[in-house]
Amino acid sequence: MAETRSITTPIYYVNAHPHIGHVYTSTVCDVYARFERFLGRDVFFLTGTDEHGQKVETSAREQGISPSELADRNSAVFRDVLDLFSISNDDFIRTTDAHHEQQVQFFVQRLIDRDAIYLGEFEGWYDKGQEEYYTETKARELEYKSPISGQDLVRATEQNYYFRLSSFQDRIEELYEEQPDFVRPQARRNEMLGRLREGLNDVPISRTNFSWGIPVPGNEEHVIYVWIDALFNYVTALGLGLEEEPEENRSRFWPADYHIVGKEILWFHSVIWPAVLMALDLPLPRCIYAHSFWISEGQKMSKSLGNFIDLESLEGYCNRYGGDALRWYLVTQGPLGATDADFSRQHFHDVYTTDLVNTIGNCTSRVSAMIGKYFDGLAPADPDPSSDGWPESTAVHVEACIASMEEFDLVDSCEQAMAIIRRVDVYINEKEPFKLAKNPDSMPEVGGILYRCAEALRIASCLLAAAIPERMEALWSSWNLDIDPGRGNLQASMNWGGLAAGTKIEKVALFPRLELDDSTD
Ligand code: MSP
């Protein structure tokens, strides 16, 4: 049986329009999922939409439609975005799916039965926009204003169902201690630890001031807090909590390997969610990975500054540079670490030119042009395959590339593949096959050099296929390589010598050189 890997994006709110944040998280997950599938793992990649809550109810009212119409309409927009950016998710869950609603009620009932949820009175600082309560300490720190919308926090009292988060203090601290990689990166883990040490309070998990949500079982005046509803998507999509055996058994995908989330929603994922799972005696995910934010042209994105990277501007980049160029930029330059990343037009253009045009594009076209010129476009034979340590040095990068991907270090994983290509460039410059080819006696040597270059590029292309799938397929087709990530044989494809002598190597121009153009947005 193949090993399983499962990865999730947050499920996206349907009351906002998709923007770079959504495309980014979905893309990094996609790269991991594609790579792991190519490695032959049994992968489950989940994304979806978060559709309940007061905000959706209010915007539907404002637009004169029902919340479910609004949810249908906007959820479809998010689904279309996935196609647009070649996201290969295995399922798309909607919190309005009937099965999800039933399963959430099942889990909440179980939590009530186990006394992990109780009915009580609550007073606190409420962020209307975010539908989130803050403690006194936190509210003071925020100067009683929403960190998201800037609106005043309001004092609110409610009779609510509560989750006994306070009783999980020790277990959550132990979890952080025993699994130092449970929250990544390290700086975010430290932040969560700091907050944990302030002490955990019980959290209200129901609302009575609106009705667009899943009713609390047995007390229909209350709807389940949208965050609790939403977090359960990770297990409801896998069929956990279903009374009947689902058609497709996906329980093997729990616990998830990675929940990839933005830094602002880490607390829910790294403290509340594990406590809920503990209360249900369900296994915990392996890692909650919290990325930072994209800013744009040096500043926080905002509609009024005109630097907001919405779907339209992302499509502009795709149209001009190609979808793979956008993926490459997001993955290699994005905020996977603890600091925010700046999306700038100039930087995008420079990265495109340096990595894709000058490195991958130039090297592949150089090698195919020389094979065209000196060997009639047929891959030459290598008279001395072990020469210059190619099999070994490539294997080192392959291993490191795979190991980094497993650790969700996408930047290093891509870097390992690029290192192979850079070495090919250096090798050509050192060996100067174009000079050797002037002497007919040197042709076997030239053949060996070019074979090694093409073979190293073939291997690098397999490692890069998860990040830039469309262009790597174009390369495979020009070089008549029978590579299909769907076969799950990445490891086997990595063996040195996979390129057969005599293979037709056609010329390729993978990434056109472009001028910086101000019209991308
Ligand atoms: N519905 C909740 C998640 C529930 S998961 C059980 C939610 N949805 S969201 O639509 O607002 O979240 C979108 C994701 O986009 C979050 O992970 C968030 O961090 C991310 N981003 C939003 N703006 C972003 C940037 N400027 N940069 C990078 N990602 C950012 O939260």
Side-chain angles (χ1 to χ4, degrees), residues 10-13 19 21-22 50 227 234 262 264 291 293-294 301:
I11 48 172
Y12 304 122
Y13 285 134
H19 57 68
H22 308 104
D50 187 354
W227 262 103
Y234 300 128
E264 87 289 17
H291 62 73
F293 270 32
W294 280 102
M301 286 200 294

Side-chain angles (χ1 to χ4, degrees), residues 164-229:
R164 274 188 212 284
L165 185 61
S166 60
S167 64
F168 290 90
Q169 177 89 37
D170 294 346
R171 286 183 67 188
I172 300 282
E173 281 180 12
E174 271 165 34
L175 164 69
Y176 276 57
E177 194 66 29
E178 284 162 14
Q179 262 176 260
D181 282 339
F182 180 66
V183 177
R184 285 177 54 208
Q186 187 77 22
R188 297 273 170 253
R189 171 179 184 266
N190 293 343
E191 255 171 45
M192 293 301 112
L193 271 174
R195 246 179 108 175
L196 255 178
R197 290 193 190 110
E198 287 171 16
L200 292 175
N201 297 314
D202 292 352
V203 283
I205 59 100
S206 71
R207 298 285 185 266
T208 49
N209 53 341
F210 64 91
S211 58
W212 178 238
I214 305 175
V216 170
N219 192 348
E220 308 249 318
E221 271 168 37
H222 290 254
V223 294
I224 297 166
Y225 177 36
V226 64
W227 262 103
I228 295 295
D229 168 357

Side-chain angles (χ1 to χ4, degrees), residues 9-17 19-25 49-51 55 78 130 226-234 260-265 268-269 291-295 300-301 308 335 340-341:
T9 73
I11 48 172
Y12 304 122
Y13 285 134
V14 285
N15 56 333
H17 295 289
H19 57 68
I20 186 170
H22 308 104
V23 175
Y24 175 63
T25 319
T49 42
D50 187 354
E51 306 188 7
K55 272 194 282 185
F78 276 95
Q130 289 304 102
V226 64
W227 262 103
I228 295 295
D229 168 357
L231 285 165
F232 274 121
N233 92 84
Y234 300 128
I260 310 299
V261 301
K263 61 182 175 182
E264 87 289 17
I265 56 173
F268 291 105
H269 284 86
H291 62 73
S292 303
F293 270 32
W294 280 102
I295 58 168
K300 192 173 170 202
M301 286 200 294
F308 199 86
D340 291 346

Side-chain angles (χ1 to χ4, degrees), residues 56 208 267 316 329 351 361 387 433 449 511:
V56 176
T208 49
W267 180 256
Y329 186 71
V351 170
S387 167
I449 294 167
F511 298 100

Side-chain angles (χ1 to χ4, degrees), residues 272-311:
I272 298 180
W273 179 228
V276 167
L277 291 168
M278 285 170 181
L280 289 165
D281 289 319
L282 286 172
L284 307 183
R286 174 155 82 92
C287 173
I288 318 288
Y289 195 107
H291 62 73
S292 303
F293 270 32
W294 280 102
I295 58 168
S296 160
E297 305 294 343
Q299 300 193 59
K300 192 173 170 202
M301 286 200 294
S302 93
K303 294 240 156 77
S304 55
L305 281 176
N307 69 343
F308 199 86
I309 305 176
D310 56 13
L311 213 50

Side-chain angles (χ1 to χ4, degrees), residues 171 193 229 279 359 401 409 413 503 505 507 516:
R171 286 183 67 188
L193 271 174
D229 168 357
T359 308
C401 175
D409 185 348
S413 185
T503 304
I505 303 286
K507 280 202 184 159
L516 177 65

